[in-house]
Amino acid sequence: MGNGFQVQERFATGAQYIGGRLRPGTSGRHQDVVNPATGETVYRYELAGTADVDAAVAAAREAFPGWSGLTPGERSQALHRFAAVLDARAGDLAYAESLQCGKPVKLSTEFDVPGTVDNTAFFAGAARHLEGKSAGEYSGDHTSYVRREALGVIGSVAPWNYPLQMAAWKILPAVAAGNTIVLKPAEITPLTSLMFAQAATEAGIPDGVVNIVSGAGEDAGEHLVGHPDVAMISFTGSTAVGRRVAALATGSVKRLHLELGGKAPFLVFDDADLDAAVQGAVAGSLINTGQDCTAATRAYVQRPLYDAFVSGVAALMETVRLGDPFDPSTDLGPLISHQQRDRVAGFVDRARAHATVVTGGEAPGGALADGAYYRPTLITDAAQDSEIVSAEIFGPVLVVLPFDTDDEGIRLANDTPYGLAASAWSTGLYRANRATREIRAGCVWINDHIPIISEMPHGGYGASGFGKDMSSYSFEEYTQVKHVMYDNTAVARKDWHRTVFGDR
């Protein structure tokens, strides 16, 4: 897979995709795309500057009337072709995603790419189902109906942990609803966003509908967020940066969608299937090397199962195979960068003063020493208010704490400003039902942790932001609801006019 795929050659003309063509950036500054498994630079390009953002927004604005004027069926057909092109390019997409992120190829091949293709196919169908309230005579003298209209140019900022899927989550609902878009991917992982946009062009989606500006957040990103011709901003990233994005966007009264950080609880009741919970905790905490805002990070285990759960998770974590992302047997790849690895290690090292590192807690040596690898790490004996329990680590680290009563477990699960995702583990219907009602999170899994599907929404509560990605609910972000009302009486002087002038 990926044989003959030369990144520098493919993007030789630059990493900005504007009006259907690749072009170089104009910032005067360069960025390296680094394979985090080896530390090797695989691509070097010139970052976007504010002039590139202006050009991309202008291209999107020019394309908007034609694209929004198509019928839903015509946009649907284009998106169906888009899904077919992506499927045909699956091997190259998986290779590029693993190359720039360090993902194990089995993850990019079996999760990232097929999930993106499925999401594209879903929105191809959803484009034909922009629904509103039924037309009717709600006042008696008038007929009312609701139109859903595209907003205009969407500005989106995506993170580095799932570059391909995040490009899809941002672009697809926006364009399915008739908008055009300028996406700024993370500057360290632009490759699959560019390939996604190229596939859109190949599928016949008009030039300017999908544009990519690969630039830094402090100039290209902030200029996009504050741009006067951008109608809406959709941002996925940290809560801290999300606050900055919100301040910039609301200053110009833009529609705003934020999908921010998470600190997902993993709540195990004493009637849970212990083996299922152990398996789920390891998978849910280590997916994408823990660089997932919905990853299991805080396991609360009712005391009768606590010791067995800790020993089971530790034993299973120790079997996880770190290695070359392109080796099909590799389970866990590196973190995105050495800087991120050192950040994760810092959290663990500070926790040693008051908690126990049961397994992991170190970077491997030997053949993996040049990469940004960190061993799967399990921590116990931490205090609920400690940094390791409360802060988003974004690495392969799981903290386990005990609880006694169901009330206590749910209270601990909710003891966080975040509210993106959670899971509860129980064979009892009433316990599980209670958890779904009382845990404050945008997604609550029962007896599983992490699966997502195109038909269901993704988005959080509180410090995890607001608004939804995926599903038909995402159209709430990307459309304007308009009420249209027709008079049915043909009477010049309406009865209500007397409240303004004259008598009945």
Side-chain angles (χ1 to χ4, degrees):
M1 185 186 61
N3 291 339
F5 185 94
Q6 299 297 321
V7 176
Q8 198 73 45
E9 194 174 287
R10 173 148 188 170
F11 302 114
T13 52
Q16 317 307 323
Y17 196 76
I18 298 172
R21 291 165 186 77
L22 286 168
R23 53 189 265 183
T26 61
S27 70
R29 296 184 294 125
H30 288 82
Q31 174 69 44
D32 290 338
V33 177
V34 176
N35 178 354
T38 63
E40 172 194 8
T41 295
V42 297
Y43 181 56
R44 182 174 171 82
Y45 70 95
E46 190 169 4
L47 287 161
T50 57
D52 302 303
V53 174
D54 289 340
V57 172
R61 190 178 180 188
E62 183 180 353
F64 175 71
W67 179 250
S68 63
L70 294 179
T71 66
E74 288 169 328
R75 286 196 296 272
S76 175
Q77 289 171 0
L79 289 171
H80 277 299
R81 294 194 302 269
F82 190 11
V85 172
L86 290 169
D87 195 40
R89 304 285 179 270
D92 283 349
L93 287 165
Y95 176 83
E97 194 77 336
S98 289
L99 187 68
Q100 67 181 352
C101 299
K103 294 175 187 283
V105 73
K106 65 179 180 179
L107 181 66
S108 58
T109 301
E110 298 178 28
F111 179 69
D112 295 76
V113 173
T116 299
V117 173
D118 183 73
N119 212 229
T120 309
F122 169 81
F123 278 106
R128 304 185 81 143
H129 297 282
L130 286 170
E131 296 178 350
K133 197 169 187 177
S134 297
E137 288 66 53
Y138 298 97
S139 80
D141 290 339
H142 305 83
T143 296
S144 291
Y145 67 87
V146 169
R147 291 176 56 89
R148 280 191 182 272
E149 297 181 347
L151 298 172
V153 178
I154 309 300
S156 288
V157 180
W160 46 256
N161 57 334
Y162 290 103
L164 178 61
Q165 290 205 81
M166 292 298 99
W169 286 17
K170 299 301 182 194
I171 291 169
L172 292 169
V175 301
N179 301 282
T180 57
I181 191 165
V182 178
L183 172 75
K184 192 202 87 65
E187 61 268 32
I188 59 175
T189 55
L191 302 181
T192 47
S193 298
L194 294 166
M195 294 167 71
F196 191 78
Q198 288 178 312
T201 299
E202 188 175 342
I205 292 175
D207 294 348
V209 172
V210 178
N211 305 275
I212 308 293
V213 288
S214 305
E218 63 270 17
D219 46 24
E222 294 206 354
H223 191 61
L224 178 62
V225 170
H227 201 289
D229 291 333
V230 170
M232 171 189 161
I233 293 297
S234 178
F235 171 81
T236 296
S238 72
T239 299
V241 178
R243 291 191 184 100
R244 171 66 176 164
V245 168
L248 289 169
T250 54
S252 52
V253 199
K254 287 178 170 46
R255 178 82 64 90
L256 185 61
H257 167 219
L258 298 175
E259 197 267 273
L260 306 177
K263 190 70 179 176
F266 187 100
L267 185 61
V268 183
F269 293 104
D270 59 14
D271 64 346
D273 180 323
L274 178 62
D275 183 51
V278 167
Q279 299 283 334
V282 174
S285 63
L286 299 185
I287 187 170
N288 204 35
T289 318
Q291 299 167 126
D292 187 311
C293 49
T294 64
T297 58
R298 302 176 290 137
Y300 298 102
V301 184
Q302 207 151 22
R303 210 170 290 274
L305 294 185
Y306 178 79
D307 290 339
F309 179 87
V310 169
S311 62
V313 169
L316 188 55
M317 278 187 170
E318 287 166 6
T319 70
V320 171
R321 299 163 295 186
L322 282 68
D324 176 2
F326 292 103
D327 183 338
S329 67
T330 292
D331 298 321
L332 197 73
L335 290 150
I336 192 65
S337 66
H338 288 83
Q339 179 183 11
Q340 179 66 10
R341 183 198 63 188
D342 294 346
R343 179 181 179 275
V344 171
F347 278 107
V348 175
D349 291 344
R350 290 190 296 275
R352 294 179 195 276
H354 59 81
T356 302
V357 177
V358 179
T359 189
E362 62 182 2
L368 302 181
D370 291 337
Y373 290 89
Y374 198 76
R375 294 194 185 282
T377 299
L378 179 65
I379 294 175
T380 60
D381 304 321
Q384 173 67 12
D385 61 355
S386 62
E387 177 192 57
I388 200 75
V389 174
S390 60
E392 187 174 31
I393 298 168
F394 230 54
V397 179
L398 178 65
V399 184
V400 186
L401 297 89
F403 70 92
D404 291 302
T405 67
D406 290 14
D407 287 350
E408 181 190 12
I410 289 175
R411 178 181 62 77
L412 291 169
N414 283 331
D415 186 21
T416 177
Y418 298 108
L420 187 58
S423 65
W425 299 73
S426 172
T427 56
L429 173 63
Y430 295 105
R431 261 179 166 170
N433 242 343
R434 180 187 178 189
T436 65
R437 292 194 309 272
E438 297 187 15
I439 293 177
R440 295 190 299 271
C443 174
V444 179
W445 293 285
I446 298 298
N447 297 325
D448 207 343
H449 193 111
I450 232 61
I452 54 174
I453 50 175
S454 297
E455 291 83 357
M456 289 292 120
H458 176 88
Y461 292 16
S464 293
F466 49 82
K468 300 299 179 185
D469 288 310
M470 299 200 300
S471 83
S472 59
Y473 290 98
S474 64
F475 289 135
E476 301 298 328
E477 319 304 323
Y478 295 101
T479 57
Q480 180 67 54
V481 174
K482 176 187 286 185
H483 169 216
V484 177
M485 178 180 269
Y486 285 90
D487 171 60
N488 292 329
T489 67
V491 174
R493 175 69 183 257
K494 315 293 189 205
D495 186 56
W496 71 266
H497 291 179
R498 66 186 175 82
T499 64
V500 182
F501 62 91
D503 301 317
R504 187 186 294 274

